[in-house]
Amino acid sequence: MSLFVLLMGVQGAGKGEQARFITQKYGIPQLSTGDLFRAMKTRQDEFARKIQQLMAEGHLIDDATTCEVVRERLAMPDARNGVIFDGFPRTPAQAEWLDNYLSNHDAGLKAVILLKLDLYTAFKRAFGRVSAKDGKTYNLYSNNEGVEFVFEPHPEGQYPPRLKAVVKVTGDELIRRPDDAHAHAIIKRIDTYVAETEPLIEYYEREGLLRRIEASKSIAAVSSEIESILDS
Ligand code: AMP
């Protein structure tokens, strides 16, 4: 039986972290449109450059392009038995496209899990997050033990300064997502979430698929609630 699950939530709600948990537990891959777009960073063509620019400014990529990227990913063999959608759909048009795609493939969403988080915490989670090469994550405002955070002037004197984070014991520098570096871009992304994506909550509620989880709880507590939803 297939397992198509959708994780919804504002930036910083922990979608990526929980998607990794679902992948480990249920053996289905994560389909993150943000990751798929970020992977285009190495391409030099005009189209890929435009996408990087829109992302850096906190704008959404257009629906047609986004759905095409998702279609290509869903056609891969490892997606046959299901995927966790992370960051897709983000607009009503994308949600309708996904419903049609899945019903044309004799499948459907098992659940839409909304990770609920207040927007102030969402901002701090996005602005303060850094990760190690092995995927371990830290945050300037929470979970910062053993990490030194320093704001350094931008190398070309531009605003904002760079947040540099280093693991004290090993000296390893932690990585910050380029689209998390600008407070303005994060605010833009949160505004876009409220305007474009929040209406989907009602859409999925009407379909009887929506399950809400308080995302300010610990990672383990959220994972365990997800498990009971998916096992029911
Ligand atoms: P994320 O990693 O999900 O926060 O996505 C990072 C950026 O990729 C977003 O701010 C958008 O610019 C773009 N993006 C990701 N998913 C979508 C989507 N479903 N629709 C449009 N743009 C998207």
Side-chain angles (χ1 to χ4, degrees):
M1 215 182 85
S2 64
L3 179 60
F4 288 93
V5 185
L6 203 158
L7 280 181
M8 265 185 85
V10 68
Q11 281 77 13
K15 300 190 295 288
E17 190 87 42
Q18 297 302 337
R20 276 190 289 281
F21 163 76
I22 301 174
T23 294
Q24 269 171 8
K25 172 98 207 245
Y26 299 91
I28 52 170
Q30 170 189 13
L31 192 166
S32 154
T33 37
D35 284 350
L36 292 172
F37 289 135
R38 270 186 290 279
M40 291 182 188
K41 206 165 47 191
T42 47
R43 281 175 30 187
Q44 290 307 317
D45 52 293
E46 186 52 34
F47 174 72
R49 264 206 296 272
K50 181 82 198 146
I51 285 185
Q52 297 312 308
Q53 188 193 335
L54 286 168
M55 284 175 75
E57 289 167 355
H59 295 296
L60 289 185
I61 314 299
D62 69 274
D63 289 333
T65 304
T66 305
C67 294
E68 195 45 41
V69 164
V70 173
R71 184 200 303 280
E72 281 176 18
R73 182 63 188 88
L74 286 174
M76 293 181 185
D78 67 327
R80 201 171 308 139
N81 293 327
V83 300
I84 310 141
F85 294 101
D86 162 10
F88 178 88
R90 261 182 162 87
T91 65
Q94 292 178 10
E96 276 167 33
W97 179 90
L98 182 61
D99 275 354
N100 284 332
Y101 180 95
L102 291 177
S103 65
N104 287 339
H105 289 78
D106 295 324
L109 287 170
K110 157 114 179 160
V112 174
I113 299 174
L114 173 64
L115 301 178
K116 277 180 61 200
L117 191 67
D118 71 275
L119 302 184
Y120 171 60
T121 310
F123 178 85
K124 291 208 290 187
R125 285 203 181 168
F127 187 72
R129 71 181 156 192
V130 284
S131 58
K133 286 201 188 76
D134 63 4
K136 199 164 185 308
T137 54
Y138 300 88
N139 195 290
L140 171 62
Y141 303 106
S142 54
N143 183 26
N144 52 14
E145 211 167 302
V147 180
E148 189 178 346
F149 288 92
V150 184
F151 281 99
E152 288 190 336
H154 190 286
E156 285 119 43
Q158 291 173 10
Y159 185 82
R162 295 280 169 85
L163 176 65
K164 198 175 154 196
V166 175
V167 178
K168 286 180 193 157
V169 176
T170 59
D172 287 346
E173 189 160 342
L174 299 166
I175 314 151
R176 196 173 189 213
R177 264 170 46 173
D179 55 345
D180 285 340
H182 293 264
H184 179 61
I186 298 173
I187 288 172
K188 188 96 207 133
R189 267 153 54 199
I190 293 178
D191 283 349
T192 306
Y193 173 80
V194 171
E196 310 261 5
T197 310
E198 276 197 346
L200 294 184
I201 295 172
E202 208 179 298
Y203 178 93
Y204 286 118
E205 195 140 48
R206 274 201 306 272
E207 293 194 357
L209 287 169
L210 196 79
R211 304 283 179 275
R212 288 182 168 81
I213 300 180
E214 206 49 65
S216 53
K217 291 183 183 169
S218 72
I219 294 173
V222 173
S223 299
S224 130
E225 284 194 39
I226 290 180
E227 207 177 333
S228 16
I229 291 170
L230 296 183
D231 288 346
S232 66

